[in-house]
Amino acid sequence: MSAEIISGTDIARQIREEVAQKAREIAEGAGGVPGLATVLVGEDPASQSYVRMKNRDAEEVGFRSRQIDLPASTSEDELLGWVEGLNADPDIHGILVQLPLPGQISEARILAAIDPMKDVDGFSPVNVGRLSAGDPDVLAPCTPRGIIELLVRSGNDPAGRHVVIVGRSNIVGKPMAALLLGRGRGGNATVTVAHSKTKDLSEITRLADILIVAVGRPEMITADMVRSGVVVIDVGVNRVDDPSKERGYRLTGDVDFESVSQLASAITPVPGGVGPMTRAMLLSNTLAAYVSIEGLEA
Ligand code: GUN
C-alpha cells in the first residue's frame, strides 16, 4: 500500500478562505476588523520566521496585525508590561507570545497574565482548565486544533478509533488528548499518550488506528513501529544537516516518511502537513476571539 498524502497546505488554504470570508461579512455588517498582536523576545531565527509568517497570514485575511520584537535581555516585568498594554488595547483581540522565552522570564507567569479572552494560543491556565473540562467554546491550542481539522476534513474522523499520541508537551500532546477525548467535532476517540519514558513504545504505537507524533526527534518512528493501514500525523519539524542543500539543512519530521508511507493508509508530509494548519488555526482562533469580545453572532 502507498499512503494517501494529507495536504496541510491545501486544507489550510481552505480554512484561510473561510476565515477571510467570515471577516469580510463582519466588516460589511457590524464593521470592525480583528486585530492580532505577536510578541517575540530574542532573535532565534526559526521563531523569527514563524512570527513573521503569522503576521503576514493575518494581514492576508484582512486582519490588523502588530508585531512586537523585544531584545533577548527583556525582563519579566517589562514583558508583563507589554502583555498588560495589549490586554487593555481595544484594537487587539488576539495576543500570541512566541515560546520559548529566554531563561530569565517565567513562561507560566507570562501566560497567566494574558487575558483569557485574547489568548489565541490557548496556553493560559484558565483556557487549559476549560479545555480539560470539555468546554466546547474554549480557545484551544492551534496545533492540536489543526490536527483535528486535518483528520476530519481528510475523511479520518477519530470518533471511536484508537489514537496513540507520542509526546506529552503542553503545546501539542496534552491538549491533543483533551480535544480527542472531548464530545465535540473530531472528538470521541480512545486515546493513549506515550512519551520518552514509555517502555516498549513500539508495542503501543502498533496498536494505533491513528498515530500522532510530536517528540522533536528526526525520523524516530519507523515502519516496524506501525501497523498496516494506520493514519499518521507527523508534527515534527527538525532541521537536519544536509550539505547538498543551499541553506545547509533539510526539514524532516519525527516519522521516517519513506518507509512508513509504504504501510500507512494516509500520512502528512513535512513540510506541508501540520505546520500550515497551526498558522491557519491561529487565524480561526483570532476570529473567534474577536466575535466573542465584540459580542457578535458566532
Ligand atoms: N512555539 C512553538 N509553537 C508555538 C505555538 O503554537 N505558539 C507559541 N506562542 N509559541 C510556540
Side-chain angles (χ1 to χ4, degrees), residues 61-104:
V61 295
F63 294 179
R64 188 178 291 121
S65 105
R66 183 162 175 212
Q67 185 175 334
I68 296 163
D69 291 322
L70 302 172
S73 59
T74 302
S75 72
E76 187 173 290
D77 283 345
E78 280 172 306
L79 181 55
L80 279 174
W82 280 100
V83 168
E84 280 156 17
L86 295 169
N87 283 344
D89 185 337
D91 289 339
I92 295 298
H93 307 88
I95 303 171
L96 178 144
V97 178
Q98 185 68 23
L99 304 178
L101 290 167
Q104 75 275 16

Side-chain angles (χ1 to χ4, degrees), residues 8-9 67 106 111 127 170 190 200 217 221 230 240 247 281:
T9 306
Q67 185 175 334
S106 152
L111 296 177
N127 288 330
N170 291 337
T190 301
D200 301 325
R217 285 176 51 196
I221 300 291
V230 66
V240 178
R247 58 189 178 183
M281 298 324 285

